[in-house]
Amino acid sequence: MSLCSDVSVEDVSDELEILGWYHYDLSRHAAEALLLSNGTDGSYLLRNSNEGPGCFALSVRAKDSVKHFHVTRKDNSYVFGFNKFSTLQDFINHFANQPLVGSDTGTLLVLRSPYPWRVEEPSIYESVRVHTAMQTGRTENDLVATAQSLGTKEGYLVKQGGIVKNWKQRWFTLNRYELKYFKDKMGDEPIRTLDLRSCSAVQFDYSQDRVNCFCLVFPERTFYLCAKTGVEADEWIKILRWKMTQIKKGR
Ligand code: 4IP
């Protein structure tokens, strides 16, 4: 039994096996990498959440980020957002109608297409023609597996101009070490891309005549950004700081 479920993990997982878009123990990192590289706006998948057995996560690809929502199994029903489905079939039917989900950051996402667990793969292998080693002097200890940190986020923020101190609402996306802002959500080309590798601090800011603001300090400029709510500003600060820690660790 678990925090989320009142039935055994095995029973829930067995039942979910019929879903072609249930990805079992796929990690958050792998779900983000998969949906960002191969999914399209509105692709989604279900996976086990690491918050405990019986808790699930629905990962959804947005424009340039992946959002994760809780799905829980309670009183023998599936609970997703405000809806409770008493059977797995009801839960599946809900997805067939391309539901709209709104996160607490105000972003609306249409769940357009399930991302399959099984994909057709050609069973073709390359044959090894050359196999030699470079004498780099490296040892087994140098063989550290690394991956770029993901952790994506996007949403509207109001930003201050650099020289002309006016405030404009812009669509921000955070992916790898890049924070981009666009004219709006539909914008294809970013107005500017900020490289977080040269950002020295992210903190709440109270110096402006606005609420829910934070600033990002770069050598040549400090950017002032404001969210709609304090919770949202806090979320941005947390993920940006996490990114900076990852960058410092060389990830
Ligand atoms: C602009 O004001 C916008 O606020 C720009 O923001 C800003 O550029 C400009 O800053 C500012 O003059 P107008 O639209 O009234 O001209 P955005 O690029 O988001 O449209 P930043 O550098 O903040 O992107 P300066 O530094 O060019 O004055």
Side-chain angles (χ1 to χ4, degrees):
M1 302 295 160
S2 80
L3 285 175
C4 297
S5 173
D6 55 3
V7 292
S8 77
V9 187
E10 291 74 23
D11 288 349
V12 180
S13 301
D14 286 356
E15 186 177 80
L16 284 171
E17 267 173 20
I18 63 157
L19 271 190
W21 42 280
Y22 172 51
H23 289 239
Y24 300 83
D25 280 333
L26 189 76
S27 68
R28 188 186 181 106
H29 179 94
E32 292 204 0
L34 192 64
L35 290 172
L36 284 173
S37 63
N38 237 13
T40 52
D41 202 345
S43 300
Y44 58 89
L45 60 85
L46 189 70
R47 60 188 176 83
N48 295 337
S49 155
N50 58 9
E51 284 186 17
C55 304
F56 303 92
L58 184 81
S59 301
V60 188
R61 163 80 190 261
K63 185 175 187 276
D64 206 14
S65 72
V66 176
K67 296 184 189 293
H68 308 273
F69 301 91
H70 282 295
V71 173
T72 54
R73 176 105 167 136
K74 278 209 180 88
D75 308 326
N76 225 20
S77 304
Y78 288 89
V79 180
F80 171 47
F82 301 118
N83 296 315
K84 193 170 178 180
F85 305 94
S86 50
T87 64
L88 179 62
Q89 196 52 51
D90 290 347
F91 181 62
I92 297 171
N93 290 345
H94 178 68
F95 283 86
N97 290 321
Q98 297 206 334
L100 194 70
V101 276
S103 66
D104 42 11
T105 56
T107 313
L108 283 178
L109 298 166
V110 182
L111 305 185
R112 288 183 214 281
S113 45
Y115 192 92
W117 174 61
R118 273 183 201 285
V119 287
E120 292 294 325
E121 296 171 339
S123 176
I124 298 169
Y125 290 85
E126 300 281 321
S127 41
V128 178
R129 297 279 182 222
V130 179
H131 191 183
T132 180
M134 287 193 280
Q135 301 305 315
T136 58
R138 291 172 65 183
T139 67
E140 184 195 342
N141 296 337
D142 299 312
L143 212 56
V144 182
T146 55
Q148 259 193 11
S149 76
L150 289 169
T152 57
K153 186 166 174 63
E154 58 186 19
Y156 279 109
L157 292 170
V158 175
K159 60 166 275 293
Q160 193 186 55
I163 299 165
V164 179
K165 305 285 178 200
N166 53 12
W167 294 89
K168 302 260 159 147
Q169 175 172 273
R170 297 290 176 236
W171 178 255
F172 281 77
T173 67
L174 177 63
N175 196 342
R176 292 193 281 269
Y177 52 80
E178 290 179 337
L179 180 68
K180 298 179 181 176
Y181 57 88
F182 301 78
K183 189 168 184 307
D184 55 34
K185 198 178 177 180
M186 299 305 154
D188 286 332
E189 283 302 314
I191 294 174
R192 193 189 290 270
T193 299
L194 304 177
D195 186 332
L196 294 171
R197 290 172 298 184
S198 54
C199 177
S200 58
V202 179
Q203 59 212 34
F204 261 110
D205 181 84
Y206 305 99
S207 70
Q208 306 299 317
D209 197 14
R210 283 183 169 253
V211 288
N212 311 322
C213 296
F214 57 98
C215 64
L216 268 83
V217 184
F218 288 87
E220 67 288 356
R221 174 169 167 188
T222 295
F223 284 81
Y224 293 93
L225 310 173
C226 307
K228 273 216 180 78
T229 64
V231 172
E232 210 183 315
D234 194 46
E235 278 178 14
W236 276 104
I237 293 172
K238 279 198 182 115
I239 194 161
L240 286 162
R241 283 192 177 155
W242 179 80
K243 290 271 180 184
M244 287 166 64
T245 321
Q246 298 289 306
I247 291 167
K248 278 198 194 113
K249 286 183 191 162
R251 288 181 189 161

